[in-house]
Amino acid sequence: MDGFLVAFAVSFGVIFVAELGDKSQLMALTFATRFKAVPVLLGITIATSVTHLVSVAVGVGLGASLPTGWIALVAAVAFVGFGLWTLRGDSLTDDEERKAARVGGSAVMAVTVAFFLAELGDKTMLATITLATQYGWFGVWLGSTLGMVAADAMAIVVGRALGRRLPERVISIGAAVMFFVFGAWLFVEAVPQVWGPGAWVSAFGSIDDRVAGWAAVVLGVLAAGVTVWLRRRAHRARGERRLDIVRAPGSPAWWVRVLAVLAALLGFGAPLLVALGVLEPIAVLARPGVAVIGAGLLLFGFAVVATAMLQLGTVWQRSAPEAGAVVAGDVETARRPVLATGGLHRRVRNPALTGLIVGCAGMLLISPTLLGVLAGVLILVAVQIQARAVYEPGLAGALGAEYEAYRNRTGRFLPRLRVSPGPGPGPDADVGRGPGTESGTERDPDPSRTH
């Protein structure tokens, strides 16, 4: 009995302390913002019991021979899937709401699988194996299981408290980001286990100037292609809604188009010349770590652009019935722009242009050249003209006080730290509005279209 108590106490204490601040505790907090506490705790208990039973068996006599690296890779992919699922969001039909009791089982299964995959090869599993070589197997198994459940239960309490105080969309985005972080974390840990301790060193060493140049071109083309496709898809729901933009030579819109085309030619041409060995990159920035950061910024920036385009399509689609007034001869109503004040545009008027700037900066960091810097300067100028001389004057003229109130409470490219005093929105300011980009207006010329 004394041996059992010692094994239990030591295992409980070691695993509880090891779990404080660990990714498993953060996972528990994240799941608790999405599901009820009881299914989450039950899933953690099942996964932990099985995982630690395997750990004890390994420690007692099987040997540490499980292919934990490949398991971690599978878990990384699973967490990315969880993140996409969470970001997409869910909606229940009336029939599904009547069957809500079944969601508990789904939550238990999701949490169980996620924790089981994540814990295989984790430090708590290795700690449990080590403890099982020194103490009785039952005490180690029970103590380590309860220690981990207790630590994760603390995270669940915190998660539930956050869930009662934060908006649902904020929780969903935060949970998705955390799932992506977990996936990246597991991937980073798994690569050395699968391909050897020097795998990351070899991978970074293989990123020379030409490889980085090709990576910049490929990622840039993919990002621009997806953006253009989403933009055209959104514009199919536009109908007659658009701003009256002057595009004559010398006009602001004309200059935006010219600068955007030049920026695209330089922005894509520079890394292509580097990839072909014709042009040398800026030596001080031509580093594998900088290229990886640039790739992350490029993907993040164009993800923001894509989200803005999707939200724009939603705005136009929701306003389509109002555009039908043209049939009755009300042309002005059918052509009136739609102001979107939700989603990314709740605090920022031009999130698509912000994402474009971030994405272009990332592309420059992947393959840094002086031509790329010039392209960045041109795109910055084009974005400023687009926002200040095309979008905002046009929207102010079309929507009047409604746009003025929106402008006073939002920032042009970043959230406003202090809201400017101004007239509040009218009683119908948000009627027919939905999440989307700054307006349901004609986006030509849009720099994101060419770069």
Side-chain angles (χ1 to χ4, degrees), residues 143-338:
S144 63
T145 299
L146 293 180
M148 181 170 173
V149 171
D152 292 340
M154 291 176 54
I156 290 177
V157 172
V158 174
R160 299 303 296 171
L162 288 176
R164 290 191 294 269
R165 290 171 172 80
L166 294 177
E168 181 179 354
R169 189 57 183 166
V170 172
I171 293 174
S172 297
I173 295 174
V177 170
M178 293 180 74
F179 278 128
F180 292 143
V181 171
F182 299 148
W185 189 343
L186 288 171
F187 179 77
V188 170
E189 291 181 342
V191 167
Q193 298 179 50
V194 175
W195 289 286
W200 282 117
V201 176
S202 300
F204 278 105
S206 65
I207 303 178
D208 59 16
D209 296 340
R210 293 194 175 191
V211 171
W214 284 118
V217 172
V218 171
L219 290 177
V221 168
L222 288 176
V226 171
T227 299
V228 171
W229 176 73
L230 289 175
R231 179 179 180 275
R232 290 179 176 176
R233 181 184 177 210
H235 278 202
R236 284 199 292 267
R238 178 180 57 190
E240 295 296 321
R241 298 184 179 279
R242 65 190 68 195
L243 288 179
D244 292 327
I245 299 174
V246 177
R247 299 181 178 83
S251 65
W254 180 85
W255 277 111
V256 170
R257 185 181 295 276
V258 171
L259 293 174
V261 171
L262 290 176
L265 292 175
L266 293 174
F268 284 100
L272 180 60
L273 292 176
V274 172
L276 296 174
V278 177
L279 184 66
E280 290 294 326
I282 300 174
V284 70
L285 295 176
R287 299 286 187 271
V290 175
V292 172
I293 294 174
L297 288 176
L298 187 150
L299 294 176
F300 174 75
F302 280 94
V304 172
V305 175
T307 302
M309 292 297 102
L310 289 172
Q311 292 177 343
L312 173 63
T314 301
V315 170
W316 279 331
Q317 186 174 13
R318 290 178 179 176
S319 65
E322 186 179 346
V326 71
V327 178
D330 191 354
V331 178
E332 293 300 322
T333 300
R335 291 178 58 87
R336 186 175 185 270
V338 179

Side-chain angles (χ1 to χ4, degrees), residues 12 24 39 70 82 109 116 135 145 180 185 195 291 334 349 364 435:
F12 182 93
S24 300
W70 287 105
F82 279 126
M109 179 62 67
F116 180 77
Y135 301 98
T145 299
F180 292 143
W185 189 343
W195 289 286
R349 298 195 295 277
L364 172 61

Side-chain angles (χ1 to χ4, degrees), residues 14-15 18 55 122-133 140 144:
V14 169
I15 299 304
S55 303
D122 189 65
K123 69 175 185 288
T124 52
M125 180 180 182
L126 299 178
T128 305
I129 292 174
T130 303
L131 290 168
T133 63
V140 171
S144 63

Side-chain angles (χ1 to χ4, degrees), residues 18 119 127 194 239 245 252 289 333 359 361 380 434 439 445 448:
E119 285 303 307
V194 175
I245 299 174
T333 300
L380 281 175
S439 69
S448 64

